[in-house]
């Protein structure tokens, strides 16, 4: 069922218009995004959310969840620098978000790096996240529930290698699953789309994966009923900001700066001309 | 008792000269500033202090306070990513600083976000900080001792809305209270001054509020007897660095870089021509 | 036993060739470097490792050490924001690394700032690190096992003042000891070399010391049998990146960016023409 070129073009226009609409809403509404995240990513994650127009809150104490979490618009849980003391707050925040009808997203960093981490991630997967975003190795580890051949936090798998694992995980968890890579893939277990924007040097900046997960949370906050589209849009917008940043960058550190500046300045023309999402 | 234009100009010159004198002292003396602060802000806070000429030390273990804190020149306590385990060290550091006659400053981040956080902040307010700096929502929450309508870590109030709360908090706590906003207001409970420098994009960079609180600590370290003037000077200097950074910035990330560079390079001519402090 | 000028030049060429060879290996092999480090440094450390070609993993939970640490290529332990809860994981990681035959490196940040910190550092020194890198004050504190006159995290001693302390510490610990300063000194307790690259403004960027310690770990990972040479090479490469960054920088924040970009782009011509290592 290949779409014709005309349909493809219409699809691109439709995806681009939707992504732009969501970004505009995000800038207007400035949703409050609670982030329980790793120490490495906090700075870039908060700055990514601010540049996109959201209001980040890095609040992780279990003592605050009951008072604070009901007021948020979306929750981002990232297990990067996991320790046992943080897990109960992650669980509690997920439960409170669920109860309050607020979407939440899981970033299972290095899911296969240890049994402790894998178990924690699998438990969180069971708490009804709206979206799970990881790299190929992480999604495969979650899908197989095994440590596998992950190498630290960087993926040893292309996103396409994780296609079946992603679909399987989406079906079993009920979450949208996104796999980052040269092409990001996004699936609800049946439908699969690919988001093609971005540049490879983004992998040479720590926490870009974490940051885009938080950006997905912000996009879902403004369109919780269309999590697949919101996820693909956030990945595309971040990728486009990376492409535009790359035009000015001389290396990973200047790319990081220009990416955030570009995200802040992104206009409809850039989204329309650059966004590329396809059915896979 | 409106001052005439001539008096106003003399006042500006006097404020500018004082701010420049304090910055010069800071560069000469390189005061040691202990920061017990949130995870998000550590990088920007340390770099702000270094660029201004101070020597930052992010040391937060209660096991180290008795040995280390007596040797510092000022202490900055910031509750951003608060957890119960950190509170005893914050208390202990404040007490040791008080006993050693060293000024300390409180940044009550998101004071109204939860009962746990509000209680912790109010307890710290009771430990004789020299200065309390927050945004409008935080100062109102502290002054009313109520959770109020705070939205995460970003203020939902203009600084001017918090004028009475700031005066009341200053009177009850004995601290200088500073409220960040389009105009920063600084009060000892009776006298109120406004610091007008800065650009709005600084709010799109995470931890700029935390960073300027630490800068106030450094300014107070070199002039502990004039905490109101030192506070207004630090806020003005940071705002001027932001204005000069803005001349070169293309977005929040490049502003962050240029702000720190400008703080490092700031000269007397820029301070004299740009600083604006008024009586309110 | 002064070498002739000709020998000196041959020495420089030989050092430069070795440093370039190690950097090339690092880029090819992308060694996995586990970092148990302080909160302030995580971002810069991870980005430094990524820019150099390594794969950083900030994993610090004791629950993960047994599963994860055997797979790494080198371990970096940094006590910057030490708290008692982190110490057992540091010990365990060092022991597992030793057992697995993987090199590990210690950064004894502010070793003399408190008895708690000094004791922790001395205990870690006893666990057979391959390399210890600190500033003059830190190395003196470790060597004398006394709090001494350290001022926070910044050194109050030139590296040369710590020459004898470094040799003594190297002899007693069996580690290569590196002391950062205007000239970095590196010793195995007998032989002493000086690495002369770098610019003073690097001290105005927080965590550059931590970052270069992690870079040493990456260099040792690709040449574990020649720890002195790998250490001197890493210090030189980082210093050269700083020099090249300084050509474009306007202050500490832009230097930080350009340093990382330069590290990423570093080529053999720059290494050959700039590297300076001497016998001391």
């Amino acid at each position: 069922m290949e779409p014709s070129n005309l349909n493809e073009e219409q699809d691109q226009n439709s995806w681009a218009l939707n992504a732009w609409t969501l970004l505009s809403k995000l800038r207007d509404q400035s949703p409050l995004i609670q982030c329980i995240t790793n120490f490495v990513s906090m700075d870039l994650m908060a700055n990514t959310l601010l540049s996109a127009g959201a209001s980040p809150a890095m609040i992780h104490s279990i003592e605050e969840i009951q008072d604070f979490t009901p007021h948020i618009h979306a929750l981002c849980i990232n297990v990067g620098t996991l320790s046992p003391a943080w897990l109960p707050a992650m669980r509690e925040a997920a439960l409170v978000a669920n109860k309050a009808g607020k979407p939440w997203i899981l970033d299972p960093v290095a899911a296969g790096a240890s049994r402790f981490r894998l178990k924690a991630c699998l438990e969180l997967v069971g708490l009804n996240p709206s979206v799970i975003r990881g790299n190929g190795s992480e999604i495969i580890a979650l899908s197989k529930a095994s440590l596998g051949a992950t190498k630290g936090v960087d993926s040893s798998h292309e996103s396409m290698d994780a296609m079946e694992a992603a679909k399987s995980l989406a079906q079993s968890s009920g979450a949208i699953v996104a796999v980052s890579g040269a092409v990001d893939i996004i699936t609800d277990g049946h439908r699969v789309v690919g988001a093609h924007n971005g540049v490879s040097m983004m992998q040479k900046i720590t926490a870009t994966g974490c940051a885009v997960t938080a950006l997905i949370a912000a996009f879902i906050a403004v369109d919780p009923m269309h999590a697949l589209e919101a996820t693909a849009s956030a990945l595309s917008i971040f990728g486009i900001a990376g492409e535009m940043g790359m035009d000015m960058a001389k290396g990973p550190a200047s790319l990081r700066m220009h990416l955030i500046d570009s995200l802040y300045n992104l206009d409809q023309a850039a989204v329309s001309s650059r966004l590329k999402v396809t059915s896979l």
Side-chain angles (χ1 to χ4, degrees), chain A residues 173-207:
Chain A
S173 68
I176 301 298
V177 173
V179 189
S180 291
V183 178
D184 301 328
I185 66 180
I186 305 103
T187 181
D188 59 8
H190 308 282
R191 188 178 167 206
V192 184
V193 298
H196 298 254
N197 295 106
V199 294
S200 63
M201 197 188 275
M202 292 163 75
Q203 295 169 44
K204 295 291 178 190
I205 311 168
T206 198

Side-chain angles (χ1 to χ4, degrees), chain A residues 125-149:
Chain A
V125 167
L127 299 180
N128 296 311
S130 299
V131 181
I132 302 167
R133 191 217 63 86
N135 62 36
S137 296
E138 290 156 357
I139 297 303
I140 290 170
L142 284 186
S143 179
K144 296 188 173 171
S146 76
L147 298 193

Side-chain angles (χ1 to χ4, degrees), chain A residues 8 30 33 37 53 73 89 94 99 126 129 134 148 168 177 181 186 201 205 207 210 216 224 226 253 255 264 276 279:
Chain A
E8 264 183 38
S30 190
I33 311 301
T37 189
H73 299 104
K99 199 176 166 191
S168 166
V177 173
I186 305 103
M201 197 188 275
I205 311 168
C210 309
I216 294 172
H226 303 94
L255 176 56
Y264 180 82
K276 186 176 174 195
S279 293

Side-chain angles (χ1 to χ4, degrees), chain A residues 185-247:
Chain A
I185 66 180
I186 305 103
T187 181
D188 59 8
H190 308 282
R191 188 178 167 206
V192 184
V193 298
H196 298 254
N197 295 106
V199 294
S200 63
M201 197 188 275
M202 292 163 75
Q203 295 169 44
K204 295 291 178 190
I205 311 168
T206 198
T208 44
C210 309
V212 79
T213 300
L215 190 64
I216 294 172
F219 271 71
I220 294 175
V222 297
D223 193 9
M225 301 305 290
H226 303 94
L228 187 146
E229 288 78 5
T231 301
S233 295
L235 288 162
S236 299
I237 293 289
F238 197 68
I240 291 170
E243 291 172 10
M244 297 179 75
M246 196 67 208
D247 292 342

Side-chain angles (χ1 to χ4, degrees), chain A residues 87 111 114-125 147:
Chain A
L87 259 180
S114 73
R115 284 165 291 183
F116 164 70
R117 188 176 286 263
L118 182 63
K119 183 162 173 269
C121 288
L122 290 172
E123 189 188 356
L124 291 168
V125 167
L147 298 193

